[in-house]
Amino acid sequence: MTASAHALELLKVAAAAADSKAGEDLVAIDVSNPLPLTDIFLIVTGRSERNVVAIAGEIEDKMTEAGHKPLRREGRAEGRWVLVDFGDLVVHIFHEEERVYYSLERLWKDCPVIPIELPAHEAVE
């Protein structure tokens, strides 16, 4: 089984939103084979608690604008690891230290990585 077209569309919106708020090291993992409840994990790093919360907020805003409301969210108050569940897509926004500690990429290393296409940034002169 591979990630659905719907999940891939959700990924595009969420990844662009994360990138617009300086989210770093974006990795999308196709977990559709081992997990029956979701297709893709998007993992993003924020440099500070404030950045983690800003990334999560922007993702929720852009996804809601696109017609996809979150089913649940966790961890926003602490700003160290925010999880936002959109059904076919689950977004994990980590503070740098938590990302290294929990190492989700290592836990899901047997699952394929999905390439992420981000919008081109204009050069600032």
Side-chain angles (χ1 to χ4, degrees), residues 4 8 31 46 52 70 72 74 79 84 87 101 105 108 123:
S4 68
L8 294 170
V31 294
V52 168
R72 66 185 180 109
E74 297 178 14
V84 189
Y101 181 79
E105 295 95 332
W108 296 99

Side-chain angles (χ1 to χ4, degrees), residues 18 22-27 43-47 51 55 96 99:
E24 297 179 351
D25 301 324
L26 279 69
V27 174
I43 305 168
V44 182
T45 299
R47 290 238 175 245
N51 186 219
I55 293 166
E96 294 171 294
R99 178 142 180 197

Side-chain angles (χ1 to χ4, degrees), residues 73-119:
R73 70 183 67 80
E74 297 178 14
R76 197 163 188 176
E78 296 83 17
R80 302 293 293 182
W81 177 4
V82 178
L83 180 146
V84 189
D85 183 352
F86 293 98
D88 288 343
L89 173 72
V90 175
V91 183
H92 301 267
I93 306 108
F94 285 101
H95 188 280
E96 294 171 294
E97 295 162 3
E98 274 70 10
R99 178 142 180 197
V100 170
Y101 181 79
Y102 289 104
S103 188
L104 289 187
E105 295 95 332
R106 184 180 49 79
L107 292 174
W108 296 99
K109 68 182 177 200
D110 294 335
C111 296
V113 173
I114 301 169
I116 299 173
E117 294 183 26
L118 296 172

Side-chain angles (χ1 to χ4, degrees), residues 29-74:
I29 302 172
D30 183 339
V31 294
S32 61
N33 194 28
L35 294 179
L37 300 176
T38 193
D39 284 357
I40 300 172
F41 282 171
L42 174 61
I43 305 168
V44 182
T45 299
R47 290 238 175 245
S48 66
E49 288 90 350
R50 188 176 192 166
N51 186 219
V52 168
V53 170
I55 293 166
E58 184 71 3
I59 290 171
E60 285 191 51
D61 290 347
K62 295 301 181 187
M63 293 291 278
T64 300
E65 286 175 19
H68 311 289
K69 292 188 179 184
L71 302 175
R72 66 185 180 109
R73 70 183 67 80
E74 297 178 14

